[in-house]
Amino acid sequence: MTIALRRRLLAEFLGTALLVTAVVGSGIMATTLSPGDVGLQLLENSTATAFALGALILIFGPVSGAHFNPVVSIADWFLGRRAGTGLTGRDLGGYVVAQVLGGIAGSVLANLMFDLAAVDFSGKDRAAGHLWLGEVVATAGLILLIFALARSGRAPAAPAAVGAYIGAAYWFTSSTSFANPAVTIGRAFTDTFAGIAPASVPGFVLAQIVGLAVGVGLLAALYPDAGAAADQVVVPTDEDLNDVPVNPPRDSYRMEGTS
């Protein structure tokens, strides 16, 4: 494994972990501060998640692209393989493992921060057809948004756009928009506001995979050459980040005879 790949996997692990920490932690805080008002709790939870997601994309995007989501990584690999862009098969396997482990770690961290058991499997059942349909819609929309931004040269807008979409999808989908297998698995490890029962996880993940297929199909119809921009998903990475400093020290210019 190259140094560059290790750094990308670390970025995906940390980014996914902190995203799940934001989801779970804000859910715990919401139920503490606004007991009995589920609508206000969801508002607090969705607002914190949207802002945190945007910030995390800004932090980790230059390193790994800030996927934080196996369906995004799969779409990136699938759409980019013909054009020779996006993730390789090896990269994809590493990204998915890092994201899933990060999701679990994020729930554990949130539980510990609020003085709960490190692992407490959720008892919140979320198995129902209308919830699965909500996951299909949320996931397909997320794939469309990310690749449309990349294809149209607007990838730098992704932190705000993706955060806004997820924050809105909390409200317009019946499932509150998990739209992410790694986050779904991670949220099974906390019996709090954001939790999901382990038995409900397979249905959600299957719905997310269906949403991935729908999103890719719509991209093929709307943006037939979307794969050419796979290297820009979610945001462009800085390929030189692992080799040279972004801003060389001022003294280096003096050494070259400038002042």
Side-chain angles (χ1 to χ4, degrees):
M1 186 185 298
T2 66
I3 294 176
L5 181 56
R6 287 202 296 267
R7 288 181 176 176
R8 283 189 285 150
L9 297 184
L10 178 60
E12 286 297 301
F13 173 83
L14 291 174
T16 310
L18 291 173
L19 173 59
V20 174
T21 299
V23 173
V24 174
S26 63
I28 297 171
M29 184 66 79
T31 56
T32 301
L33 297 178
S34 307
D37 192 335
V38 178
L40 184 55
Q41 291 169 6
L42 185 62
L43 177 61
E44 293 161 347
N45 189 209
S46 61
T47 301
T49 300
F51 283 128
L53 179 54
L56 292 171
I57 292 173
L58 288 171
I59 294 169
F60 297 108
V63 181
S64 68
H67 292 191
F68 309 153
N69 187 336
V71 296
V72 173
S73 298
I74 292 170
D76 189 62
W77 164 79
F78 181 80
L79 291 170
R81 59 199 171 94
R82 288 185 179 178
T85 58
L87 297 179
T88 65
R90 180 190 183 195
D91 291 345
L92 174 62
Y95 268 50
V96 171
V97 171
Q99 291 156 357
V100 171
L101 293 178
I104 296 170
S107 271
V108 171
L109 177 59
N111 288 338
L112 291 174
M113 283 199 301
F114 287 91
D115 198 26
L116 302 174
V119 174
D120 188 9
F121 291 108
S122 177
K124 186 172 293 186
D125 180 50
R126 297 181 188 261
H130 68 285
L131 299 180
W132 299 333
L133 178 59
E135 281 301 284
V136 172
V137 171
T139 307
L142 179 63
I143 296 298
L144 273 174
L145 171 63
I146 290 171
F147 280 87
L149 288 172
R151 171 60 185 80
S152 58
R154 294 174 294 164
V162 175
Y165 175 81
I166 292 299
Y170 260 77
W171 291 89
F172 72 73
T173 63
S174 56
S175 62
T176 65
S177 183
F178 285 48
N180 184 331
V183 168
T184 304
I185 292 170
R187 288 169 66 166
F189 286 74
T190 180
D191 193 19
T192 59
F193 179 79
I196 177 173
S200 299
V201 169
F204 264 55
V205 172
L206 180 59
Q208 291 156 2
I209 293 172
V210 173
L212 165 63
V214 172
V216 168
L218 291 173
L219 280 169
L222 295 170
Y223 297 96
D225 58 347
D231 283 338
Q232 309 298 308
V233 172
V234 171
V235 296
T237 59
D238 185 345
E239 295 181 354
D240 297 324
L241 188 63
N242 299 300
D243 302 314
V244 297
V246 175
N247 294 308
R250 184 176 298 175
D251 288 345
S252 66
Y253 295 103
R254 294 197 180 100
M255 291 173 64
E256 296 172 3
T258 61
S259 59

